[in-house]
Amino acid sequence: MLVRDAMTTVVLTIGPTHTLRQAAALMSARRVGAAVVHDPDAGGIGILTERDILNSVGLGQDPDTERAHAHTTTDVVFATPSWTLEEAARAMAHGGFRHLIVLDDDEPAGIVSVRDIIRCWVPARRQVPA
């Protein structure tokens, strides 16, 4: 199975000046664990994850004043739609992260998460009649 079969194609994209509270609210509303941060002044595409927001709040930083750019991972590992899920899982395990931005022609085409991969690898639970 390929990344294109598992990835989420609706990508939440935010700007570098969004506050962490704004990012968290958007991520919560969309029920996603990561947002693509598009920052043309800093060289392009990064990722902000729920873990980044949690770490900031855990340090006592104010989510109403902290900006996404200060917490964005910019040395991102990108996947392509044609990667196998094994390649994606290997990249995640090696890098210690749970989300990969999927690029197609240098543009974000989706995000694949550990949850997406598990959903593909583990068959849906069957309903057992009561």
Side-chain angles (χ1 to χ4, degrees):
M1 189 167 273
L2 302 177
V3 165
R4 74 170 45 93
D5 302 318
M7 70 184 192
T8 301
T9 57
V10 178
V11 178
L12 173 60
T13 302
I14 63 172
T17 60
H18 276 79
T19 67
L20 293 187
R21 184 173 308 279
Q22 290 169 324
L26 291 167
M27 291 164 65
S28 178
R30 299 251 184 116
R31 300 178 48 110
V32 297
V36 171
V37 180
H38 181 66
D39 188 354
D41 294 334
I45 300 171
I47 190 167
L48 179 74
T49 68
E50 57 201 356
R51 183 182 301 167
D52 298 323
I53 295 169
L54 180 67
N55 287 341
S56 174
V57 171
L59 290 171
Q61 297 174 335
D62 183 352
D64 290 315
T65 59
E66 288 295 312
R67 302 293 173 177
H69 68 84
H71 302 277
T72 299
T73 300
T74 55
D75 60 339
V76 179
V77 175
F78 297 103
T80 68
S82 61
W83 275 22
T84 65
L85 293 185
E86 288 82 7
E87 288 173 300
R90 192 174 306 112
M92 289 178 189
H94 179 74
F97 46 82
R98 297 176 294 167
H99 299 87
L100 279 169
I101 299 173
V102 182
L103 293 183
D104 195 8
D105 292 329
D106 294 326
E107 292 295 323
I111 292 184
V112 65
S113 69
V114 170
R115 182 178 296 170
D116 296 325
I117 293 171
I118 290 170
R119 186 174 43 246
C120 290
W121 282 350
V122 177
R125 252 193 281 181
R126 293 185 191 157
Q127 294 289 336
V128 178

